[in-house]
Amino acid sequence: MLGALTGFAIIAVIIAVGYLIARLEVLPDGAGLVLNRTAFFVGSPALLFGVLARADLSTVFSPFLVAAFVGAVVAALLFVLASRLLFRMRFGDTVVGAAASGYVNANNIGLPVATYVIGSTQYVAPVLLFQLLIFAPVVLTLLDVTARGSASLKSVLLGPIRNPILIASLLGVIVAATGVELPDAVMAPFDLVGGLAIPAMLLAFGMSLRGQRPFAPGSPRRAVIVATAIKTIAMPAVTWVVAALVLHLPATEVAAATVVAALPAAQNINTYAVRYNQGVLLARDAVLFSTLASLPVILVVALLLHPAG
């Protein structure tokens, strides 16, 4: 359980630092937006290229990933259905809510959780790849089309070409697929620049909290509650059903899939929302509340399913 607590503590500290930076006015107005854009256009592409260039792509086609894929898709569709029936939200806000419901924080929380709760990081890698190669491109393309105000086929097809995160991910997959081992001198700049991505995202998130309250006037409260419930309860439940009752995976993999599905919404969603100015309050509050709610859920799942055993 120490890994889960450590991962959440690290994130909480960095977010708190961002909040203090804004509270004490250490940086000028608009610095949070600059950090977000830096993470989106510079840090994240470098980070994802480095991760994927070293990845074992054979893990993408494992049965474990099927359970993770179904859980994520069902969670996203549940929010779309709720948006359609209960909220009548704008398309861009619905995309952000669906992403917050099914896109897990597989990196800065997922890795320590996988190490200390599950017992191996091999179960996070395929989920991370799926999100980078399928989930993120779909979300970013839809947000890009929404922000541009055009839904033409040309915009959909050209959207990924204009996105630095998707370009970097594709290049990383090509390197991994060809088996090319790039020299350390080539990879070092990507590792160094990529190292700023997660801190920049979390600092910007903390800075965005200054002067704002969760569920403040204007916040889509019902949508946040629904997204948080889907992310932390429905998605792990669906994933467990698929892994245990449909695919009949080994007990260790069932537990691992359920724990990974219980991870909170990824901070990336907040970055994407700010980047395209779609569902910003929904993304911020859903990430915050799912992060708070996921810890007890992960601890309960770990206790009941004994993933490390």
Side-chain angles (χ1 to χ4, degrees):
M1 307 310 169
L2 179 61
L5 295 173
T6 300
F8 281 92
I10 291 171
I11 286 181
V13 168
I14 299 176
I15 291 175
V17 170
Y19 176 81
L20 288 175
I21 288 174
R23 181 78 176 180
L24 299 176
E25 300 182 348
V26 175
L27 299 177
D29 292 341
L33 180 59
V34 172
L35 280 176
N36 259 297
R37 292 179 65 85
T38 302
F40 184 88
F41 286 103
V42 182
S44 293
L47 173 65
L48 300 183
F49 174 80
V51 169
L52 291 174
R54 299 183 178 99
D56 179 4
L57 297 184
S58 64
T59 58
V60 175
F61 304 102
S62 65
F64 173 89
L65 184 57
V66 174
F69 174 82
V70 173
V73 171
V74 170
L77 292 178
L78 283 174
F79 186 87
V80 172
L81 181 62
S83 176
R84 176 70 176 173
L85 298 179
L86 303 177
F87 314 134
R88 298 290 181 178
M89 303 179 72
R90 297 181 306 164
F91 181 77
D93 294 346
T94 299
V95 172
V96 170
S101 300
Y103 196 120
V104 305
N105 192 330
N107 193 10
N108 49 351
I109 292 182
L111 289 177
V113 166
T115 300
Y116 297 105
V117 177
I118 300 175
S120 173
T121 59
Q122 67 175 332
Y123 297 111
V124 172
V127 175
L128 181 62
L129 291 173
F130 153 66
Q131 293 188 156
L132 296 178
L133 299 177
I134 299 177
F135 208 148
V138 171
V139 171
L140 291 170
T141 298
L142 292 175
L143 290 177
D144 191 53
V145 170
T146 303
R148 292 174 179 274
S150 172
S152 67
L153 179 61
K154 180 179 179 181
S155 297
V156 174
L157 295 177
L158 293 181
I161 298 176
R162 295 190 297 261
N163 192 293
I165 291 179
L166 305 187
I167 294 172
S169 298
L170 178 60
L171 292 176
V173 169
I174 292 174
V175 171
T178 57
V180 175
E181 293 188 10
L182 297 177
D184 291 341
V186 173
M187 295 301 296
F190 290 100
D191 294 337
L192 187 61
V193 175
L196 70 83
I198 293 173
M201 291 179 187
L202 295 175
L203 287 172
F205 180 58
M207 293 170 71
S208 73
L209 297 178
R210 191 242 176 163
Q212 300 185 38
R213 303 183 285 112
F215 288 161
S219 174
R221 301 185 181 188
R222 290 195 302 165
V224 171
I225 293 173
V226 169
T228 301
I230 292 174
K231 177 72 228 45
T232 57
I233 299 175
M235 184 173 170
V238 171
T239 303
W240 179 85
V241 169
V242 175
L245 305 183
V246 178
L247 298 178
H248 304 289
L249 296 180
T252 299
E253 294 188 13
V254 171
T258 308
V259 168
V260 171
L263 291 169
Q267 178 61 33
N268 302 37
I269 305 306
N270 186 63
T271 302
Y272 299 160
V274 173
R275 166 68 182 87
Y276 292 104
N277 194 30
Q278 302 289 326
V280 175
L281 292 179
L282 171 57
R284 186 197 68 190
D285 286 357
V287 169
L288 175 61
F289 283 109
S290 67
T291 300
L292 296 175
S294 65
L295 179 56
V297 173
I298 289 173
L299 295 179
V300 169
V301 170
L303 179 64
L304 294 178
L305 301 182
H306 305 290

